[in-house]
Amino acid sequence: MTTPFLNTDALPYCKGCGHSLIAKNTSKALEKLNYKPLDVIMVTDIGCHGIIDKCLNTHTVHGLHGRSVALGAGISFGTENPDKKIIVFIGDGGTTIGLQHIMEAARLNLNMTVVVHNNYLYGMTGGQTSGLTPVGFNTTTSYEGNPFGGYDICALSHTAGAAYVSRILGICDISDKLAVAFGTKGFSLVEVLEICPSYGIKLNPRRKLAEIVESSGMKIGEWSNQREEYVKYQGKKTDDLLARLPEIRKGFNSYLKAPMSLIVSGSAGEGVQLAAGLISKAAIGSGLHVTQKGSYPVTVGVGFSTAEVNLSPDSIHFHGINIPDMVIITSEDGLAHNRKRIENMATGKLFIDSSLEVPETGAEIIQHDFRSVGARNASVFAVFYFALKTGIISTESLFKVIEDEGKADKLPMAKIKDALSMVK
Amino acid sequence: MQETKKGKRTLIDASRLIIESMARAGADAFIGYPITPANLLYQYGAQRMPLMLAAPDEITTLQWMSGLAATGKVPITATSFPGYALMIESVNMAYMMELPMVIILVQRLGPATGTATCGAQGDLTLLRGNISGGHPMPVLCTSTFEDAWTLSAKAVELAINLRTPVVLLTSKEEVMTSKSFDMNTLPEITQVERKYYDMKCDGKYKSYKPTDLVPDFLPVTQDNHQVRINASTHDKEGILQHSNDEAMANTRRLEEKIRQKAHEYTLYHMEEEKDADKLIVAFGITAAAARDAVKQLREEGEKVSLLIPKTLQPAPQVYLEIMDSYKTVIVAEENMNNQFSDMIYGLNKPRNHRFVGGLGKMITPQQIIEEVQA
Ligand SMILES: Cc1ncc(C[n+]2csc(CCOP(=O)(O)OP(=O)(O)O)c2C)c(N)n1
Ligand code: SF4
């Protein structure tokens, strides 16, 4: 006999398998709730329970072992119509390997129902112990009985925030119990307990389902959480990532005729990347081509902070810097991070804070008290100093960037100007 | 030659170009899990995509993307090897289900966690074989900021039109570097037009019945036709089969679809120098060094051509033809084992073939020049 949801009576399971009962009662429950087949999206896991697809008149999605709850979650995220029903069929094996996905869907209270076919073992692969096998239960990988207890998937899902959870015995008519879960808005999970005749019954002769459930210490029952419906909270969006990028117009000139590489380095929190950005933008404003990248330890708030900048009158392709043409060092951290490169310089210029020991180098050494304007602004001051001394970009072009970006009141401009005026 | 012509110049990183380009082409969801050096892409994706979801791991990322794709969305994500490794089974699933999506794979130094903030080009071999059965999955690789713009849109187009996951391959040094850039040089991107199965068609819709190799798409959220999506071996209807003729024809089609349609997506840059008998081949970040090397070599009077492959998978035949037509071929890529040449020649590398490799450091133009002149 067929039903609106099942296209056959001959379900593809071993005789007496509880999976048949679940499939038939699912169909019955959906009928009771007046669902139309194509309002239901059935997502099935890998395992015996998952081969039900071909018998269903619903939409069917057959994914990977253990991942079907996450796959169903994706469908739930993408489904605008709240009258659609997303149901995931999964085994105790899939529940074990994909536990995280169930917790996540429960935590977010996604609109879907998960039906755990708990037959206490991996059916399809030959009756091995799963994470839901109860203590003492025999499987093909524990003939003397499972030494451990199984996960309480209901308690876990409930704690994670599921709107509705129930554990039921897979006997007689369970359609009303399934219907409660299917009718729940938000995330619901039903753990149906059954025994796999082919392995479970064979390996545990004379044991009855109710007694096994009793021995597992897990109670038949229902649990719920008062939950708000899941809302796709989205932060502030932009409809064009390029629109608000400031255009940098050419207002200055640079005498630079060949590519030049520059390293700015100091300590985290001392404005290194900001300072390098000022140079880069001022250089663009002076008609140059630029590349800029930063490097710092993973703990971004301590240790060195280094910026690598290339300036060139022509377009730049390769942007790596092996031995730099110029280096600006404002702190001990910056010196330590770049000592080797500085020692390898045969020419070029080294701008270094006067508090620091000067390494052996072929570069011309220019010492200055960059930290006099305060450690936090040492790098910004140093790039002004660099501009003044080299003329590659002008200090005016740097001031322009600061002004254009509205950073003037965030930086001690008066102090910097003062300090600059004292430079000969 | 200082900038004189009118342009809209700014300082920009490639991550921004990639996400904006994909959004304009039609990507509408970003699913993220943090990993350096892909974090900027995640940040921009969150700001730009109509839907952003923070996944709890990369397996979930791919599963959520697949679920969204089944409802008609075009999801993207960005990751690096450790995350991609977790995704592989699910990438296979999406490939088998024929769901469109783009994974931006930002290469970093491995093996394993390796060095998160160090660039590399070590994942090509993995991408060649990451679909069980060896079926090809499209891989496009950026080598310039212009590519970050045009190839990103192409990746979305390819994913939609061929109904397949696509990898946009890039590296730390590309997506975490800012550059002066003239925004007026960016070509316009139009949204990819999606073709759906004509709902008014009478008769039974079969989820995997192809029209010109690609099945017509219908989302699982509509109620006119039954949709069956399946990651197991299946027939045209989407019903699980062991290995019958129809199911094998379907699996074979997955391979043929990519191989036959991919020629529309054979993208590369060839700079042929007249009478040159030397060819430099470089993709991704190393292509930048190769450009500089070629420029300098030519200034020194050396005759040398340059090939920058952008479509890496399926490997276009034309690369072999080009490489075979030169007396000396120098391939530069930032790994120890010459993965690109492996892909082209296998064990049968010709005598005239030379390799410039690198590990933990960008290959410099000088290294390439030395090999050319050796
Ligand atoms: C990643 C992965 N690991 C292992 C398998 C093999 N496998 C297939 S079905 C299955 C067990 C299914 O058991 P369960 O989920 O309990 O479902 P049942 O067969 O009992 O219905 C396993 C482990 C797989 N398909 N994928
Ligand atoms: S092996 Fe067990 S779980 Fe699988 S169909 Fe048979 S009885 Fe059911």
Side-chain angles (χ1 to χ4, degrees):
Chain A
M1 198 191 72
T2 64
T3 76
F5 290 89
L6 289 169
N7 58 29
T8 173
D9 206 14
L11 299 185
Y13 303 118
C14 306
K15 197 162 167 282
C17 178
H19 293 356
S20 289
L21 180 93
I22 298 176
K24 287 177 179 159
N25 281 275
T26 295
S27 159
K28 207 166 162 187
L30 290 169
E31 266 186 82
K32 284 183 182 169
L33 295 170
N34 289 321
Y35 276 107
K36 293 194 298 285
L38 293 187
D39 281 334
V40 179
I41 302 152
M42 288 288 303
V43 185
T44 53
D45 211 77
I46 300 292
C48 291
H49 62 275
I51 52 177
I52 191 73
D53 275 37
K54 60 180 175 205
C55 308
L56 295 168
N57 293 329
T58 62
H59 295 300
T60 60
V61 182
H62 188 55
L64 299 181
H65 182 49
R67 311 298 163 200
S68 52
V69 178
L71 182 57
I75 294 172
S76 182
F77 284 125
T79 304
E80 309 296 337
N81 182 349
D83 297 331
K84 297 282 172 190
K85 186 67 215 170
I86 298 153
I87 299 174
V88 177
F89 272 13
I90 191 167
D92 50 303
T95 298
T96 305
I97 191 173
L99 196 58
Q100 159 84 53
H101 304 308
I102 300 176
M103 296 303 104
E104 185 70 7
R107 179 175 80 91
L108 300 178
N109 197 31
L110 297 178
N111 223 345
M112 60 198 288
T113 302
V114 174
V115 181
V116 177
H117 298 54
N118 187 4
N119 57 12
Y120 296 133
L121 45 72
Y122 295 87
M124 186 174 260
T125 41
Q128 299 88 346
T129 305
S130 82
L132 270 64
T133 307
V135 65
F137 193 77
N138 297 345
T139 70
T140 54
T141 50
S142 58
Y143 282 104
E144 291 79 39
N146 184 21
F148 308 104
Y151 284 115
D152 185 338
I153 186 60
C154 291
L156 289 171
S157 304
H158 184 239
T159 311
Y164 176 81
V165 176
S166 69
R167 178 179 289 121
I168 62 179
L169 284 179
I171 47 170
C172 307
D173 189 324
I174 57 172
S175 63
D176 284 337
K177 290 174 177 149
L178 288 172
V180 178
F182 296 160
T184 302
K185 284 271 167 256
F187 184 84
S188 57
L189 178 142
V190 186
E191 181 188 7
V192 186
L193 304 171
E194 37 163 322
I195 309 191
C196 154
S198 297
Y199 298 106
I201 293 181
K202 238 173 240 158
L203 293 165
N204 300 273
R206 290 181 295 279
R207 290 193 72 180
K208 291 274 174 291
L209 180 61
E211 177 265 311
I212 294 165
V213 174
E214 178 87 37
S215 78
S216 76
M218 289 181 212
K219 300 269 179 290
I220 300 297
E222 297 171 90
W223 301 269
S224 59
N225 285 303
Q226 282 301 327
R227 286 294 303 268
E228 293 285 316
E229 237 180 278
Y230 173 75
V231 184
K232 282 179 214 139
Y233 290 106
Q234 293 291 308
K236 225 172 122 205
K237 298 282 180 186
T238 167
D239 60 3
D240 189 347
L241 285 167
L242 309 183
R244 287 187 40 221
L245 276 181
E247 176 178 0
I248 305 169
R249 285 175 207 260
K250 183 167 182 286
F252 303 90
N253 285 309
S254 171
Y255 68 75
L256 199 66
K257 292 281 174 288
M260 193 212 75
S261 57
L262 165 71
I263 285 175
V264 186
S265 190
S267 296
E270 295 187 3
V272 173
Q273 305 302 329
L274 169 75
L278 292 178
I279 291 196
S280 297
K281 289 165 197 162
I284 297 174
S286 309
L288 295 173
H289 293 258
V290 176
T291 73
Q292 186 199 330
K293 69 178 173 189
S295 66
Y296 19 80
V298 278
T299 47
V300 291
V302 293
F304 70 89
S305 175
T306 296
E308 299 192 1
V309 178
N310 284 290
L311 307 176
S312 171
D314 296 311
S315 41
I316 304 169
H317 301 122
F318 176 73
H319 66 253
I321 300 176
N322 189 9
I323 302 171
D325 297 318
M326 300 206 191
V327 176
I328 301 172
I329 299 289
T330 58
S331 80
E332 191 64 52
D333 287 326
L335 179 60
H337 186 232
N338 290 285
R339 181 178 291 275
K340 229 171 119 194
R341 289 208 268 198
I342 293 169
E343 285 170 356
N344 283 335
M345 289 168 76
T347 58
K349 289 188 165 78
L350 169 66
F351 297 83
I352 185 164
D353 189 82
S354 27
S355 68
L356 302 170
E357 158 235 356
V358 179
E360 285 279 328
T361 177
E364 180 192 337
I365 294 151
I366 301 144
Q367 290 169 287
H368 193 82
D369 187 3
F370 298 129
R371 305 179 73 82
S372 62
V373 295
R376 271 183 54 203
N377 301 298
S379 301
V380 172
F381 175 48
V383 302
F384 272 98
Y385 185 87
F386 161 86
L388 197 65
K389 284 286 172 182
T390 65
I392 292 172
I393 50 165
S394 61
T395 51
E396 290 77 19
S397 66
L398 286 169
F399 281 124
K400 177 86 168 40
V401 176
I402 290 175
E403 192 185 303
D404 285 353
E405 299 201 339
K407 290 203 176 97
D409 45 352
K410 293 182 193 90
L411 291 166
M413 294 318 296
K415 235 194 220 173
I416 289 174
K417 280 181 186 161
D418 240 25
L420 278 176
S421 69
M422 291 191 304
V423 176
K424 280 173 214 80
Chain B
M1 186 189 39
Q2 294 194 359
E3 201 72 24
T4 44
K5 66 172 189 292
K6 267 226 166 88
K8 190 186 172 197
R9 301 185 82 219
T10 190
L11 186 66
I12 193 172
D13 57 73
S15 293
R16 191 182 281 270
L17 289 170
I18 289 171
I19 296 297
E20 181 59 31
S21 162
M22 289 193 182
R24 291 193 193 181
D28 52 11
F30 190 100
I31 317 303
Y33 190 83
I35 189 165
T36 306
N39 294 328
L40 263 181
L41 292 152
Y42 188 1
Q43 185 187 322
Y44 295 142
Q47 291 167 17
R48 180 65 175 89
M49 293 294 157
L51 178 65
M52 186 288 288
L53 298 169
D57 61 77
E58 287 92 344
I59 297 178
T60 306
T61 300
L62 247 282
Q63 291 292 329
W64 285 3
M65 286 168 75
S66 301
L68 285 164
T71 69
K73 295 255 190 295
V74 182
I76 64 168
T77 188
T79 190
S80 192
F81 170 79
Y84 190 76
L86 292 185
M87 290 175 181
I88 288 178
E89 191 197 14
S90 303
V91 170
N92 274 253
M93 181 190 84
Y95 186 87
M96 189 68 150
M97 289 178 162
E98 300 187 62
L99 298 172
M101 61 184 65
V102 180
I103 301 147
I104 305 158
L105 177 54
V106 188
Q107 292 173 102
R108 70 186 219 188
L109 184 66
T113 299
T115 305
T117 51
C118 187
Q121 291 183 283
D123 295 342
L124 176 59
T125 300
L126 171 74
L127 293 171
R128 277 176 64 199
N130 79 154
I131 302 294
S132 185
H135 307 296
M137 179 176 70
V139 177
L140 304 182
C141 178
T142 62
S143 51
T144 59
F145 271 44
E146 288 78 5
D147 282 351
W149 183 253
T150 50
L151 291 194
S152 299
K154 270 278 170 224
V156 171
E157 180 190 320
L158 223 163
I160 291 174
N161 288 349
L162 268 60
R163 283 190 62 175
T164 178
V166 171
V167 166
L168 183 79
L169 188 64
T170 177
S171 83
K172 180 259 165 189
E173 293 294 349
E174 293 177 86
V175 300
M176 289 181 71
T177 300
S178 297
K179 252 182 138 169
S180 50
F181 196 81
D182 181 354
M183 307 289 283
N184 285 351
T185 61
L186 294 175
E188 202 179 316
I189 289 169
T190 44
Q191 191 169 333
V192 181
E193 211 177 304
R194 274 194 93 165
K195 286 188 296 277
Y196 296 93
Y197 178 77
D198 185 356
M199 297 249 235
K200 290 188 290 284
C201 275
D202 291 335
K204 196 171 162 59
Y205 167 73
K206 290 191 176 178
S207 299
Y208 292 104
K209 182 172 166 239
T211 318
D212 192 17
L213 290 169
V214 184
D216 292 333
F217 179 77
L218 273 185
V220 291
T221 43
Q222 51 71 46
D223 46 20
N224 288 40
H225 296 275
Q226 184 187 26
V227 174
R228 292 183 180 279
I229 294 179
N230 204 331
S232 294
T233 302
H234 54 266
D235 58 20
K236 277 186 195 157
E237 216 173 307
I239 290 178
L240 187 145
Q241 301 293 347
H242 180 271
S243 55
N244 69 15
D245 289 351
E246 189 177 322
M248 288 305 92
N250 185 70
T251 300
R252 214 169 277 126
R253 180 181 56 76
L254 294 177
E255 166 116 11
E256 288 161 3
K257 171 178 86 171
I258 307 292
R259 289 218 184 278
Q260 291 183 27
K261 295 252 157 209
H263 69 86
E264 296 163 25
Y265 298 92
T266 298
L267 306 164
Y268 61 95
H269 172 83
M270 180 69 199
E271 263 175 44
E272 208 176 317
E273 170 96 355
K274 201 165 168 279
D275 299 330
D277 58 10
K278 286 177 180 165
L279 172 73
I280 298 173
V281 183
F283 65 94
I285 186 65
T286 307
R291 281 174 196 269
D292 283 349
V294 165
K295 184 165 175 264
Q296 200 176 319
L297 283 163
R298 286 179 185 164
E299 278 165 10
E300 290 169 20
E302 190 98 42
K303 288 196 181 313
V304 38
S305 295
L306 173 66
L307 169 64
I308 300 176
K310 297 180 182 183
T311 300
L312 294 184
Q313 277 292 304
Q317 179 76 17
V318 63
Y319 298 161
L320 178 63
E321 285 158 16
I322 293 171
M323 289 160 82
D324 270 356
S325 66
Y326 283 83
K327 221 159 137 194
T328 308
V329 176
I330 299 100
V331 179
E333 53 183 301
E334 203 180 321
N335 58 54
M336 288 176 70
N337 32 55
N338 203 183
Q339 300 183 7
F340 183 82
S341 301
D342 253 13
M343 174 176 85
I344 301 293
Y345 299 117
L347 287 177
N348 202 15
K349 271 188 207 113
R351 291 247 160 87
N352 65 2
H353 176 277
R354 300 207 219 125
F355 170 50
V356 183
L359 200 64
K361 257 200 192 86
M362 290 165 83
I363 293 171
T364 63
Q366 204 51 39
Q367 283 175 275
I368 300 173
I369 290 168
E370 276 162 23
E371 191 59 45
V372 171
Q373 293 178 333

